[in-house]
Amino acid sequence: MRRPFAVIGISFVFVSFFVTWLGFGAGLALLITGAVTSIAALLIRPLRQTVFIPTLALCVLAAAANGLLHWQLDYQPAAKLDGRQARVTAEIVDLPAQHRTGATYTLRTLSVDLPQTKQQVKFTVWVPELLDAQPYDQLTATVTFALDEESRHYRYGQSIYLKGTLDTDTVQITKVYDKPLFAAVLQFRAYACEVSYRYMDADSAGLSN
């Protein structure tokens, strides 16, 4: 079989996309299909000799299993927060995405004042102006969560399933000085963005970043 890694990569991406798009039922159907086809391809000699079919079947099986695992471990805990309000402490884990009406921050929960709630859940919040905060500083506020259906196909690939609405009167920023190494990477990226916008027009700078 020519280009086996291309078959593996493309099939894995497509199956993961369908599981994200269509949900648990699609993932389960693909898992069963991949398992049955893999067994048939291993038992039936003509199919086994093609190499392509067993390789594709095993890729579908692995990708579906991976998608279902993410669905169970990441999506389901996040979905339990849909429509709920809580006092939250979270860390900023990326640079803010600035736009004309404000900025969007990506955060990861450190504590959620609700029983039996998984921590380390990512979500986004929109604010009308930039916060006095840097990546990995902590934000504490009352947050109302909702599943982010509008940005689903973009953010779900990043395991970000929720958006939050801040009660701006409750926002508190805590500066953190002992930050992970990735904070320096984000700082460099922020500097590169600043240089791009200084010397290039807005459209070209946006594409380069």
Side-chain angles (χ1 to χ4, degrees):
M1 181 180 67
R2 294 183 178 180
R3 300 180 180 177
F5 292 109
V7 173
I8 293 170
I10 293 171
S11 60
F12 204 93
V13 167
F14 270 98
V15 171
S16 299
F17 173 78
F18 279 116
V19 174
T20 300
W21 181 285
L22 298 174
F24 182 85
L28 186 59
L30 287 168
L31 182 71
I32 294 170
T33 301
V36 171
T37 307
S38 296
I39 294 170
L42 292 174
L43 294 177
I44 301 172
R45 187 173 181 180
L47 291 178
R48 185 170 65 247
Q49 290 178 333
T50 64
V51 180
F52 173 80
I53 293 177
T55 300
L56 181 62
L58 288 171
C59 288
V60 170
L61 178 62
N66 179 69
L68 288 175
L69 187 65
H70 278 290
W71 188 268
Q72 188 66 32
L73 297 181
D74 295 332
Y75 177 80
Q76 288 297 332
K80 290 179 180 179
L81 290 170
D82 183 33
R84 304 188 71 179
Q85 185 180 79
R87 185 72 174 171
V88 175
T89 297
E91 60 182 354
I92 299 168
V93 293
D94 203 349
L95 298 174
Q98 299 183 54
H99 33 79
R100 293 180 181 178
T101 58
T104 300
Y105 284 83
T106 301
L107 300 101
R108 180 169 54 213
T109 63
L110 298 174
S111 68
V112 179
D113 191 18
L114 288 172
Q116 298 180 335
T117 300
K118 179 188 173 184
Q119 305 305 325
Q120 303 291 308
V121 174
K122 286 185 179 182
F123 66 102
T124 60
V125 294
W126 172 87
V127 290
E129 56 186 23
L130 289 173
L131 300 172
D132 181 20
Q134 299 298 320
Y136 292 96
D137 287 344
Q138 295 179 7
L139 177 148
T140 301
T142 299
V143 179
T144 302
F145 292 101
L147 286 173
D148 191 359
E149 297 293 346
E150 295 176 1
S151 303
R152 172 179 177 178
H153 309 305
Y154 166 66
R155 299 200 185 278
Y156 277 23
Q158 303 173 312
S159 296
I160 303 174
Y161 306 105
L162 292 167
K163 59 182 177 181
T165 302
L166 295 178
D167 180 348
T168 54
D169 294 333
T170 66
V171 174
Q172 299 175 354
I173 300 294
T174 302
K175 298 292 185 180
V176 174
Y177 298 100
D178 185 14
K179 299 183 179 184
L181 181 62
F182 189 65
V185 176
L186 292 176
Q187 187 176 12
F188 175 79
R189 204 176 94 196
Y191 173 75
C193 290
E194 182 182 343
V195 171
S196 297
Y197 279 102
R198 186 182 304 167
Y199 295 104
M200 302 168 68
D201 61 84
D203 291 338
S204 298
L207 287 172
S208 66
N209 294 314

